[in-house]
Amino acid sequence: MTGAPITPADQAREAAVEAALGKLAPDDKARLLAGQDNWSLPALPEIGLASLVMSDGPIGVRGVRWTADDPSVALPSPTALAATWDPELARRAGRLLAQEARRKGVHVLLAPTVNLHRSPLGGRHFEAYSEDPYLTGEIGTGYVLGVQDGGVGTTVKHFVANDAETDRFTVDNVVAPRPLRELYLAPFEAIVKNAHPWGIMAAYNRVNGDSMTEHRHLQKEILRGEWGFDGYIVSDWLAARSTTGAILGGLDVAMPGPKTVYGPALAAAIRAGEVEESLVDDAVRNVLRLAARVGALDDAPAVVPASALPAPLDGNALAREVARRSFVLVRNEVRDGHPALPLDPERTRTVALSGAAARDARILGGGSAHVFPPHTVSPLDGLTAALPEGALSYRVGADPSDQLAVADKGFTLRAVCRAADGRELGTTDLPSGMVQWVGVDLPDGVTYDELHTVEFTGTFTPRESGDHTFGTRGIGPLVLTVEGEKVWAGEEGLGDSTDPFNAFFGERLERARVTLIEGQTVDVSLHLTVPRLPGAPMDAVAFSLLHLGPRRDPEDLIAEAVEAAREADTAVVVVATTTAVESEGFDRTSLELPGHQNALVAAVAAVNPNTVVVVNTGSPVEMPWREDVAAVLLSWFPGQEGGAALADVLTGADEPGGRLTTTWPVAIADVPVTDTTPDAGGQLHYTEGVFIGYRAWERAGATPAYPFGHGLGYTDWEYETLDATTERATVRLRNTGERPGRETVQIYLAPLPSDAPDAPHAPERPARWLAGFASAEAGPGESVEVTVPLRARAFEIWDEAANGWTAVPGAYEIQAGRSLTDRRLTARVHR
């Protein structure tokens, strides 16, 4: 533990850790550092240690099984949470997730993700917060504090520079010391120092030549040495590749198990003299300290005893609150003296809703962030409930997906597991046509040793008549049957992707087309003979039944939506990305909306001047129609209550509270930093240095569609006074509108050129950077004052020659405003 224990409880925990460590033989120590399965470490009853259980948890706590049998509250995506610009709300979200974790027997969440939005093409950006390191650190700090308030550990990830998905297992990200410190390490440093997380996850990638799971300089010298981190460091799943390299580099836990570079391999390395046992002791201490903190080690008081847990939170209510507070209104035109939003009940008696995503909302991102919520409120559901009967009409208009997707709407499926002799071993209901069982994540009564076949069996009730396409994803022998007829049988082998997960899951492949009639239920099944893969790093079964509905003529769909919009007072169009566009495991190749959604928006806007577009994506997309519509609302991936929150905001029951955490471009060609693909040598060079996001946009003199920090509410604000020093900025502002509102006051720091002719040459720095922010609430006509602390670090750079932080003296302008480009007041200070 860093420094002397400061409380009796700290002392008791450290004493328990040392006592437990002293009872362990080398083999037990090595075993404790290796996962016993996909989600847990082994229990050691002889020292009073329970099994430590981990779970994915950026937006919900899935638990240790990929099943909907025990649903999980699904909060809005991390980009949405960050868009609230409210660390205290992030803390409440964290407390809710801790509550969920305790209910599911989980000790540690594998979250938050605090990598930066270096390029808008990053496929996993919906799971990270922002392009700005300071904002990322503040939201991440709130999240970590909240989860650990509830006695559950966090694992801040992915350490470090894991900012894209292309070749993520092999890429070597080449980053100079200054941008590494000022940008990519900065959120981790802030969270370690301000929230004291109990865990960090080492990433897949290399940084400057060294694998992150073996990176002694970053893990031991900086993370532990400089910052004083005293938690555990766990590998990303399958990231650890070398026994001696990992333990020498500071990795404590290698996941998943039971096949890892630790365990028996580490014990053998100790006996062979390749690894000093004292290094293993250090790692074991970190794991035992985690166990002590969460209450899994005898004689060690948990950091948060049961009597001190936060008051229970209503998951539905908080999910709805976070969603509406995250929505970013980027455009809201005034026509005939009235803004497009909120909808005026006197002028808007009919609403024409269109877009397939209005009916089948995308509420969360794909990959490890996926959970199974107890219910989902779509925009169609939310608006139907909020508007008077008969006021709302719905047309599909355009479907963002023209590709096979996991069987979902209209399917009722069950998985049946059998042994080689045909005996039924176990069954489980499926929330969709996907099985992803890893490690112990199997139905009750099923073991890998006996498991021979898995069959999806159930029914499908089509929503449309026509040719329905069925497909599969997965490896091994597969048989697909529809209405008793075998429509395809064959076998697929391992893919050749450098990502082992993608190679194992296989490609999405079309298998058959079957003509079906709307409303007429048919039987479906998909039978897999489970493949045996010698040398596989984990036991797993993963395959999917895929489906694509009939493809109607896009022009006909758009024409139907246009006719409905022509007759309505207001048209609302929901556009979205799909899991084939935005997900873990790959980066995007463009920022275009898939399908014919842009054509739908353009056609609807041409016949209805009161067209509102809701953008259901996790990260930026191009919006060529943005100047032709009355309003644009970004709803992100809004979680299970997204449709209800959308109705709240559109009707004016609440105002949209979000502000952009990432710059939204007009087109990808305008973006200063886009590269996510390593060169032929496997390296990705961060040649832009400290200039990413808005820093790069201002340096290039380019104008985006919407700048960092932008977002409109339903009232107006006048910034009255600014009083600033190098330590704080105090802003007084007044609500000049006609309804209560909430404002996000943003403070930027801009270096000013020196007037002295002999002034030393200053290092190249951005034109300005975010230095602080605060929320203000006031009723109509009321004034309110907020004080924003300014950190000393805001005036410093990483001096590569001195290998340390250096304050840059001189004059600075403190700028207070509503966004990066809407700066209302300034004050000059000297450092």
Side-chain angles (χ1 to χ4, degrees), residues 580-713:
V581 173
E582 220 180 338
S583 189
E584 180 181 347
F586 57 89
D587 292 315
R588 293 196 282 173
T589 57
S590 81
L591 299 184
E592 292 185 12
L593 285 167
H596 295 81
Q597 296 179 103
N598 284 332
L600 170 65
V601 175
V604 168
V607 301
N608 192 321
N610 298 317
T611 295
V612 176
V613 182
V614 178
V615 183
N616 179 197
T617 69
S619 46
V621 292
E622 295 174 359
M623 299 181 287
W625 33 258
R626 70 190 185 286
E627 300 292 342
D628 302 323
V629 300
V632 179
L633 182 71
L634 311 182
S635 70
W636 313 110
F637 296 151
Q640 66 183 47
E641 302 295 326
L646 179 65
D648 292 339
V649 166
L650 294 183
T651 62
D654 287 280
E655 69 172 349
R659 303 294 183 265
L660 288 182
T661 67
T662 291
T663 306
W664 278 52
V666 174
I668 188 62
D670 302 329
V671 179
V673 179
T674 59
D675 191 18
T676 61
T677 303
D679 60 23
Q683 293 185 324
L684 181 61
H685 293 264
Y686 286 33
T687 55
E688 69 281 352
V690 298
F691 293 92
I692 66 168
Y694 63 83
R695 295 163 167 82
W697 282 89
E698 291 208 306
R699 185 193 198 196
T703 301
Y706 303 108
F708 178 84
H710 176 64
L712 308 172

Side-chain angles (χ1 to χ4, degrees), residues 115-182:
N115 301 113
L116 299 184
H117 297 174
R118 175 178 171 266
S119 162
L121 295 175
R124 201 174 180 180
H125 281 351
F126 61 85
E127 197 180 317
Y129 292 134
S130 173
E131 68 188 20
D132 182 78
Y134 174 72
L135 178 58
T136 296
E138 291 295 291
I139 299 298
T141 292
Y143 179 101
V144 168
L145 288 172
V147 173
Q148 294 182 178
D149 283 346
V152 174
T154 54
T155 312
V156 187
K157 61 185 188 182
H158 307 86
F159 192 70
V160 64
N162 183 207
D163 310 301
E165 294 293 278
T166 303
D167 294 344
R168 60 178 176 164
F169 276 79
T170 58
V171 63
D172 179 11
N173 294 321
V174 181
V175 194
R178 185 180 169 200
L180 186 60
R181 290 283 190 160
E182 293 185 19

